[in-house]
Amino acid sequence: MARSRAGRYHRRAMSVRNLDKLFKPTSVALIGATDRAGAVGAVVLRNLRRAGLKASLSLVNPHRRELDGLPVHPDVASLPEAPDLAVIATPPASVPGLIAELGARGTKAAVVITAGFGELGARGAALQQQMLAAARPHLLRLMGPNCVGVMVPGIGLDASFSHIAPLPGDLAFVSQSGAMITAVLDWAVPRRIGFSHVVSLGDMADVDFGDMLDYLAGDAGTRAVLLYIEGVTEARKFMSAARAAARSKPLLAVKAGRFAEGARAAHSHTGALAGSDAVYDAAFRRAGMLRVDTMAELFEAVETLALTRPQQGDRLAILTNGGGPGVLATDALIALGGRLAELGPETLAKLDAVLPATWSRGNPVDIIGDAPGRRYAGALGILLADPGLDAVLVLNAPTALARPSEAARAVIDTLAAVPAGSLVGRNVLTSWLGERIAAPARRRFAEARIATYETPDAAVRGFMHRVQYRRNQELLLETPPARTEDFTPDIAAARRAIAPAPGAAPAWLDAEQVAAVLAAYGIPLPQSRIVGDADAAAAAAGALGFPVALKIRSPDIAHKSDVGGVALNLGNPERVRAEAAAMRARLAAAQPQARLEGFLVQEMVQRPGAIELIVGVLDDAVFGPVVMFGQGGVAVELLRDTTLELPPLNAALARAQIARTRVSRLLQGFRNLPAADLAGVAAVLVRVGQLAADHPEICDLDINPLLADAGGVVAVDARIRVAPAAQPGAARLAILPYPREFESRETLRDGTRLQLRPVRPEDEPALQDLARHMNPDDLRLRFFTPMKALPHALAARLSQIDYDREMALVARRDGDGTALGVARFSSDPDRLRAEFAVALRSDWKGRGLGFLLMTRIIDIARRRGIGEIIGDVLHENVPMLKLAQSLGFRLAGHPGDPELVRVVKPLA
């Protein structure tokens, strides 16, 4: 078996190509160096010199011969060597020419600090395009323009005009805003918080957030990544990079522009309820990132990530010398979804032995206002010995009876004496209230690298950052339930219904078309008839059976109830005729210009106690289609109980989306009403997501209300707006959906019939079963380590595929669906190279299954435009080496491990 080192080459292509020259240069040239006071070139030169740059430094300025003891060259051509990295601080008109010269000499990266490009209108945008055109032939990577610069403290690189240098550390900070860069550094340095990378992206002409996440995910010196985001470009690259990086380290983002004036116009309920900021929320959550809302919270998050360790759960103990701060911390904890730890009887007994009789005898542990340091130490030591808690928050309010600095010293000494192993998965956080009297204690905590916050609620937020990160990771690893049905939509029928939409302008489908589209995707609908006048409406009602609902049909009316265009529970033909006439009159009075194209007569859905829901789709300008769910009905905008998710969805994602709403509690049953059909609601969400993915013409969809009760779900009313697709098929989706085109039926040479299809998240149990039927030696050859079974985390990762960068095919036997083998590849972001792996049940080796799987996976890689496919194979794995040779792979020595053979097959 060949082994795939998941992610190793995943980050080695254009999105990260030559970024090592940007962040690990062996030579640097500053273009525009000067000593003129106040000039950017002077500040950058000072920073490069004072940071202790380990690389060689060259300077360029046609008007100087020497600066700060260094020779200065008149132009790029006169440099003694081609620099790995050029830092440019010259007027914008000069930049495209400089990039062309540097590229021609062999430079592979440049930081363009200069402003005056895309942010200054058409002329600046044209200059930016010239700069990019000059860089592209040479694969020269550009940071900026209009940026503060790049800092890598570990190698002494400070190519910036920041007023303060970062300390070395293991946090990376990537920001579109230069002001945020300098503000964070000004805050971090006194707290002794260090960084592996500080990157100002500026206008992101080339290097963007996706590139940085791909690079930093593979950087062993970076423990967590902080992002300040004003906007994302290339949503799919961003989502792929973020999802991959979030599996290995915390990603934390603050997103500015939450209430942008240019928000999308609300053409429907869904559009009105889901602004672009809510879509970013959905994207960050789906990627496994943490989002914070303010500068203060970002600083708190920096402190939390720098000074705490990964945390197991959400049970918090609060240790305080004052009841008020303890209550405030408890309120903040419950509001944010955390839990107070329940102290065990043994812990309570131990606390009784060391605390005054008046202590709180519960959590929060109030040790009374006169608590000296030894009382803090005794209580903290006992709490840390309790296995029923995940973190301790230590609070101190200043009093005249005890010194805050003494209590801080006691906490520090107690933690220093605790065996390191007993704190695995747990944290201690502190908040010393006050300012002047608390400042020395906070300094001591910072020096001891213990997280400290100015207020109890800020400390609780820090604790919950760790909790939410763990929750996000668990969601990334959650296995959806096994499919009870393998629903296949009638895509052709839906396409026929969508096709007649007239003209190029967006248009609402009529009721008959909407019904056809939803029926094609198995979304339950009541029976209905479309009629032209009142008499026909009465006749249709009689055919359907009373009572009925009557609705107007008008392409000019978005919400029918707003103009009295909906009547319910009509029990006889006379009422139907009368309501039809009244509707016509009301419409003429309210909107005389509106066209009335007849009526929709619908069987009246009799579902007393059913919950009204809304399910919708909007087309976001950045992330493409987004699925909305929430509480529906005519007051939907007032209730504002909705949440968003990026398609495609599976059952687990749909259920998580439902659980984020308040209406989910109603769906679980209340008073004498049983729980609603949650599986049915989730199925509608999954199918609506698939509908949006399959039909790029859909730009808005509302199902409101979707009624749900114990008997199932039914879409009572729905609207769909379509327009010519700006991008074909799945191109507009931020996450590539399941690729049905790679499904096939195959027959082995012994006649065994198989289904080959891409792996889905719910295949995790099948992959674990496959591993159980591999002997220990085959498992070792596949994973390069002794293994008896696939652990959940690994099995989840192998079954949750980013179809844009990876592919995995599972071979399942016809009849019982047993998984017999899997072949997969993982490509770099620019598809230059992919690494493959294959695994078979031990009792199915030698039947041609491995050859079949590898042939298909190679074909998919070729169709994807991947340049070459490689694998690493142990020398002893002779069958795999022979298979590789039979498939046209070239065998070579491994560059870093003599026990391995690298097999390579060019595809281009």
Side-chain angles (χ1 to χ4, degrees), residues 48 110 138 177 352 379 446 600 615 618 650 695 700-701 727 760:
L48 285 167
H138 309 290
S177 165
D352 273 336
L600 176 71
V615 174
L618 66 94
N650 57 40
H695 302 281
D700 282 287
L701 181 151
Q727 293 177 288
R760 296 188 291 232

Side-chain angles (χ1 to χ4, degrees), residues 591-722:
Q591 294 195 31
Q593 77 286 357
R595 293 165 289 172
L596 181 62
E597 296 181 346
F599 300 91
L600 176 71
V601 185
Q602 196 173 60
E603 68 172 324
M604 191 67 208
V605 179
Q606 303 286 355
R607 306 283 281 267
I611 308 299
E612 290 188 325
L613 306 172
I614 182 171
V615 174
V617 172
L618 66 94
D619 199 24
D620 183 73
V622 176
F623 290 98
V626 186
V627 177
M628 188 191 73
F629 170 81
Q631 188 164 1
V634 294
V636 62
E637 283 97 343
L638 295 177
L639 295 169
R640 301 199 72 82
D641 178 26
T642 58
T643 183
L644 303 178
E645 189 63 76
L646 299 183
L649 279 68
N650 57 40
L653 289 168
R655 285 181 176 270
Q657 183 176 12
I658 294 167
R660 289 195 296 270
T661 60
R662 297 189 301 275
V663 76
S664 67
R665 294 193 288 273
L666 296 179
L667 292 170
Q668 293 167 17
F670 64 100
R671 293 185 181 174
N672 62 338
L673 291 176
D677 179 11
L678 282 172
V681 177
V684 170
L685 288 172
V686 172
R687 292 176 187 185
V688 165
Q690 188 174 355
L691 171 63
D694 291 340
H695 302 281
E697 301 87 356
I698 294 176
C699 46
D700 282 287
L701 181 151
D702 281 342
I703 301 174
N704 183 30
L706 176 77
L707 294 184
D709 60 15
V713 297
V714 60
V716 175
D717 201 3
R719 302 162 59 248
I720 298 175
R721 192 169 67 105
V722 298

Side-chain angles (χ1 to χ4, degrees), residues 79 111 119 150 160 164 444 452 457 466 486 520 534 563 701 716 738 781 868 890:
L79 287 171
V111 176
E119 75 277 12
V150 170
S160 79
I164 189 168
R444 286 187 174 184
T452 191
D457 54 310
R466 276 295 184 191
D486 199 4
V563 295
L701 181 151
V716 175
Y738 175 81
L781 293 174
E868 65 177 10
R890 174 176 53 84

